Amino acid sequence: MTPTRTETISLTDGRELTLTVAEPENAVRGGLVVLHEARGVTDTVRGLVAGLAAEGWLAVAPHLYEEVSGEEAPAVVSALSGEEVLADTDVAFVWLEQRGVGRDRVGVMGFDLGGAVAMVVAGSRTIGAAVTVGGGGIVEPLAGGLPSLVEVAEELTCPWLGLYGDDDPAIPLSDVEKLRDAAAAAPVATDVVVFADTGHRFDTDPGVSAEAWQRALNWFDSHLR
């Protein structure tokens, strides 16, 4: 497994932002900003960053906040603002640019909360591609400071892929279909893939997990050149 490390960036507003990063052993294909789940940068997120680096991507995960428990997560998520998450992802974009990866070769990918944030970023910044995995807040925003994803859909500035399960109680399939319809009106390539019987999480079924992973990699391969 490709090792990960953390870096701390001092920001102009006096804050510090932690980044979890992993670098490919050989040539860099491009850069991917990984946006974490509601609990923060967990071992699962670190594993994702490492896995992307093993595929040749320079991967960086900004810590939108420190890791929290499942019980604490809803309150932390509800306090998020679009301005804050965009500012933190901008730092990650600059970090990649400083290492020779231009915006046309940069993508964003996120799970859960990060999946929603990835789509918000894809509607607000000029990048190469985006992938959302199980991102909620489709019709009703996850936080008062974030837009709903159907609002963002028609404003997408880059190719976007959405990966969802058909049995997630927190994300009704009817909402996913509304997102599909809204994204179809975007001026860029979009696709929504729904997996059956995922047990609410993509990592509970190795077959589904492998297919979702491959679809995400193929999307970036196709659009980050």
Side-chain angles (χ1 to χ4, degrees), residues 6 18 20 36-46 62-74 76-77 113:
T6 59
T18 300
T20 290
H36 61 69
E37 59 178 299
R39 292 178 299 154
V41 176
T42 61
D43 286 343
T44 299
V45 176
R46 284 184 281 271
H63 295 221
L64 304 179
Y65 48 81
E66 293 308 308
E67 186 175 348
V68 297
S69 68
E71 292 75 18
E72 298 171 305
V76 176
V77 170
L113 164 69

Side-chain angles (χ1 to χ4, degrees), residues 26-181:
N26 299 309
V28 174
R29 304 170 68 175
L32 295 178
V33 175
V34 178
L35 296 165
H36 61 69
E37 59 178 299
R39 292 178 299 154
V41 176
T42 61
D43 286 343
T44 299
V45 176
R46 284 184 281 271
L48 174 61
V49 170
L52 291 169
E55 295 288 341
W57 301 98
L58 180 55
V60 52
H63 295 221
L64 304 179
Y65 48 81
E66 293 308 308
E67 186 175 348
V68 297
S69 68
E71 292 75 18
E72 298 171 305
V76 176
V77 170
S78 67
L80 282 178
S81 76
E83 183 178 338
E84 290 173 347
V85 298
L86 288 172
D88 289 347
T89 53
D90 283 344
V91 173
F93 293 146
V94 170
W95 187 90
L96 289 169
E97 289 172 347
Q98 290 174 339
R99 286 152 183 81
V101 184
R103 287 291 182 98
D104 59 332
R105 295 172 57 222
V106 169
V108 293
M109 180 178 187
F111 289 76
D112 183 42
L113 164 69
V117 174
M119 194 170 186
V120 172
V121 172
S124 305
R125 297 292 187 265
T126 302
I127 54 175
V131 174
T132 289
V133 183
I138 294 176
V139 176
E140 296 295 331
L142 291 176
L146 295 174
S148 68
L149 298 192
V150 290
E151 290 179 68
V152 174
E154 293 187 19
E155 301 174 355
L156 289 168
T157 63
C158 68
W160 170 81
L161 170 66
L163 303 174
Y164 285 89
D166 70 349
D167 57 355
D168 187 339
I171 306 176
L173 189 57
S174 59
D175 284 6
V176 177
E177 293 305 323
K178 289 175 183 176
L179 183 60
R180 185 199 303 274
D181 291 343

